[in-house]
């Protein structure tokens, strides 16, 4: 453990990426204990040799196509017509648009990068403070990786050998709860700050906007309905999303054939980075397993508590801490094999554990020091990360409260499963 984690943290401190730090520390460990070097290419290739992981690249591509193709603009426009007249209307539109867009891309970064610029510009024109606008935009982007389709849930499903379809089904209610909690917080903040109210859109204007955005709004229905009724798998749904997104982009005449190589290049940059992290994390996880670290951790945790509620709270705190310093993808691949045996030992549903893990690690996307959403928001606005972090704190607290509700539900589902059959 000292060799593996010592070298890992040493390279992190030196400025190396998480993926390279995991890879180098694993190679040094293999060399030190004179293990076969053949396991390096085997584990690297095996980590990404999964049909389900194809969905990651295609959902990233779908998100990029829709961002370039004007689909996100239509989604936000329709959301604004629905709730723009309420107290905190544009903030509500921000959250509602993220809920709709989450049914297409499954990525917080895609949500922030695509909808973010449109939302920030609209809120600035509507008289909202920059820090509040950035906070709402960053917080609402966390909805995307919970409501299906979800890239983090796909990665967890592959790592834990859990049905991705079951994870998608389980993510709907937590995503809706997270959305409602953010809407309520928007209302109280905007009421306190007395932001100006907008004129309510007429029924004719709303219907006209609905027709304008109808085809874009149809995509999450196609994806969700297709997966739910078994028309296609989550991976096939990602391909459907790409094809439909391309169709809309050309229909709206907002993208040309010349733009496609740029969209593909952007997608490859993101996808290759994610797959390299997964490959390196798989090798790192194998070393952890070989060293029997998961068994050691599991034995310590079992000796500490056999109460599912205490265990879930303890694990949630641990994942929240890890999310502060590690990106969500390597955190899922590394921590799943470590914690899953302990979770299964207590009889906790692995599917609900996957939801809790993703929710906790998502908090790290909007908290320093490695919050990727914060860096994206700071890049598009020029506002310092410190200022954005302070403004987004209430939304982090609300998200933690939502996680608490899911933890309680999972606990009662473990202890009294007959009471939770409706879910």
């Amino acid at each position: 453990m000292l060799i593996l984690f010592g070298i890992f943290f040493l390279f992190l401190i030196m400025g190396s990426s998480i993926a390279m730090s995991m890879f180098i520390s694993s190679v040094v460990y293999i060399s030190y204990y004179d293990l076969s070097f053949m396991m390096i290419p085997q584990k690297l290739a095996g980590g990404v040799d999964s049909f389900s992981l194809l969905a990651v690249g295609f959902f990233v591509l779908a998100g990029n196509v829709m961002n370039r193709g004007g689909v996100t603009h239509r989604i936000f426009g329709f959301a604004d017509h629905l709730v723009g007249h309420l107290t905190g209307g544009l903030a509500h539109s921000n959250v509602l648009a993220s809920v709709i867009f989450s049914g297409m891309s499954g990525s917080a970064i895609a949500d922030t990068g695509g909808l973010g610029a449109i939302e920030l510009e609209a809120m600035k024109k509507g008289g909202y403070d920059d820090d509040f606008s950035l906070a709402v935009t960053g917080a609402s982007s966390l909805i995307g990786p919970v409501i299906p389709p979800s890239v983090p849930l796909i990665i967890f499903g592959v790592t834990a050998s859990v049905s991705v379809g079951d994870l998608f089904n389980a993510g709907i209610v937590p995503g809706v709860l997270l959305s409602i909690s953010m809407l309520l917080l928007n209302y109280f903040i905007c009421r306190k700050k007395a932001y100006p109210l907008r004129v309510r859109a007429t029924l004719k204007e709303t219907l006209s906007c609905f027709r304008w955005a109808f085809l874009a709004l149809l995509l999450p229905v196609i994806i969700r309905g297709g997966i739910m009724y078994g028309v296609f798998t989550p991976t096939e749904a990602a391909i459907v999303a790409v094809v439909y997104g391309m169709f809309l982009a050309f229909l709206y005449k907002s993208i040309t054939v010349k733009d496609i190589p740029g969209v593909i290049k952007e997608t490859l940059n993101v996808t290759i980075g994610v797959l390299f992290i997964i490959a390196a994390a798989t090798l790192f996880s194998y070393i952890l397993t070989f060293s029997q670290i998961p068994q050691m951790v599991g034995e310590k945790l079992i000796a500490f508590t056999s109460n599912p509620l205490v265990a879930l709270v303890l694990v949630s705190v641990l994942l929240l801490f890890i999310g502060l310093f590690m990106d969500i993808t390597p955190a899922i691949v590394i921590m799943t094999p470590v914690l899953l045996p302990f979770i299964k030992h207590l009889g906790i549903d692995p599917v609900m554990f996957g939801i809790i893990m993703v929710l906790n690690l998502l908090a790290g996307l909007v908290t320093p020091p490695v919050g990727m959403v914060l860096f994206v928001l700071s890049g598009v606005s020029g506002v310092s990360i410190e200022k954005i972090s302070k403004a987004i704190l209430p939304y982090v607290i609300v998200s933690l409260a939502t996680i608490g509700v899911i933890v309680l539900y999972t606990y009662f589902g473990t202890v009294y499963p007959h009471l939770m059959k409706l879910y």
Side-chain angles (χ1 to χ4, degrees):
M1 287 179 65
L2 287 175
I3 294 173
L4 190 65
F5 287 100
I7 296 173
F8 173 70
F9 285 111
L10 175 63
F11 275 88
L12 278 182
I13 294 170
M14 292 170 59
S16 178
S17 67
I18 291 178
M20 284 303 300
S21 299
M22 289 188 293
F23 176 73
I24 293 172
S25 59
S26 299
V27 172
V28 172
Y29 183 96
I30 291 170
S31 301
Y32 185 82
Y33 284 101
D34 198 25
L35 302 178
S36 173
F37 276 90
M38 283 302 298
M39 71 171 62
I40 297 176
Q42 288 174 355
K43 297 302 175 183
L44 290 176
V48 294
D49 184 17
S50 170
F51 178 72
S52 297
L53 284 180
L54 286 173
V56 174
F58 282 111
F59 276 126
V60 172
L61 177 57
N64 289 335
V65 167
M66 287 181 284
N67 288 337
R68 292 278 193 98
V71 176
T72 50
H73 182 71
R74 292 170 185 256
I75 291 171
F76 182 75
F78 176 67
D80 188 28
H81 274 70
L82 283 181
V83 297
H85 61 283
L86 302 175
T87 300
L90 280 172
H92 296 329
S93 302
N94 197 322
V95 173
L96 184 58
S98 293
V99 172
I100 298 171
F101 190 70
S102 68
M104 306 179 189
S105 70
S107 167
I109 304 301
D111 188 338
T112 308
L115 281 168
I118 300 169
E119 293 165 340
L120 290 173
E121 182 181 358
M123 293 185 75
K124 186 174 183 178
K125 290 180 179 178
Y128 290 77
D129 298 333
D130 286 344
D131 54 348
F132 175 70
S133 303
L134 290 164
V136 176
T137 302
S140 65
S141 68
L142 301 185
I143 300 170
V146 183
I147 295 180
S150 164
V151 170
L153 287 180
I154 293 171
I155 294 171
F156 175 83
V158 172
T159 306
S161 298
V162 174
S163 168
V164 175
D166 290 345
L167 288 166
F168 279 9
N169 289 332
I172 296 174
V173 172
V176 171
L177 287 177
L178 190 60
S179 307
I180 293 173
S181 65
M182 289 184 183
L183 291 173
L184 291 173
L185 183 58
N186 286 343
Y187 174 80
F188 288 112
I189 292 177
C190 293
R191 184 177 179 181
K192 182 179 179 180
K193 293 191 175 184
Y195 287 124
L197 297 177
R198 299 182 60 185
V199 178
R200 182 170 187 165
T202 64
L203 179 61
K204 183 179 180 180
E205 290 172 338
T206 303
L207 290 175
S208 176
C209 185
F210 175 73
R211 288 194 296 269
W212 179 64
F214 175 74
L215 292 177
L217 297 171
L218 194 61
L219 181 53
V221 177
I222 294 173
I223 294 174
R224 185 72 220 126
I227 295 173
M228 182 179 295
Y229 292 104
V231 179
F232 37 69
T233 66
T235 303
E236 292 164 346
I239 299 171
V240 170
V242 172
V243 174
Y244 191 80
M246 283 285 191
F247 166 73
L248 292 183
F250 284 113
L251 181 66
Y252 297 151
K253 298 180 180 179
S254 51
I255 195 172
T256 64
V257 176
K258 293 181 180 180
D259 296 324
I260 293 179
V263 174
I264 294 176
K265 182 180 179 181
E266 185 178 350
T267 301
L268 288 174
N269 288 337
V270 175
T271 305
I272 290 171
V274 171
L275 292 180
F276 178 53
I277 291 173
I278 293 173
T282 301
L283 178 62
F284 192 82
S285 297
Y286 173 78
I287 299 298
L288 291 178
T289 305
F290 178 82
S291 305
Q292 296 188 334
I293 292 174
Q295 292 90 325
M296 292 166 55
V297 172
E299 289 173 2
K300 295 292 184 183
L301 290 173
I302 292 170
F304 181 79
T305 180
S306 59
N307 186 307
L309 181 58
V310 175
L312 286 170
V313 172
L314 184 67
V315 168
S316 293
V317 172
L318 175 63
L319 292 172
L320 283 169
F321 178 76
I322 290 172
L324 295 176
F325 303 98
M326 187 177 291
D327 192 33
I328 187 169
T329 299
I332 290 174
V333 180
I334 291 173
M335 295 308 300
T336 298
V338 173
L339 297 174
L340 196 59
F342 172 58
I343 293 299
K344 288 182 175 179
H345 175 80
L346 296 179
I348 298 171
D349 184 4
V351 172
M352 289 308 300
F353 170 66
I355 301 298
I356 292 171
M357 171 177 268
V358 169
L359 283 169
N360 280 292
L361 293 175
L362 279 174
L365 291 176
V366 293
T367 52
V370 294
M372 286 302 298
V373 168
L374 297 180
F375 285 103
V376 174
L377 291 172
S378 180
V380 299
S381 67
V383 179
S384 68
I385 291 177
E386 292 78 8
K387 190 174 182 180
I388 301 173
S389 301
K390 184 178 179 181
I392 210 170
L393 181 60
Y395 290 92
V396 175
I397 295 173
V398 163
S399 299
L400 295 180
T402 304
I403 294 172
V405 173
I406 305 302
V407 165
L408 285 174
Y409 172 84
T410 305
Y411 166 70
F412 285 112
T414 301
V415 179
Y416 309 107
H418 59 283
L419 297 178
M420 301 294 156
K421 285 183 178 179
L422 289 177
Y423 183 61

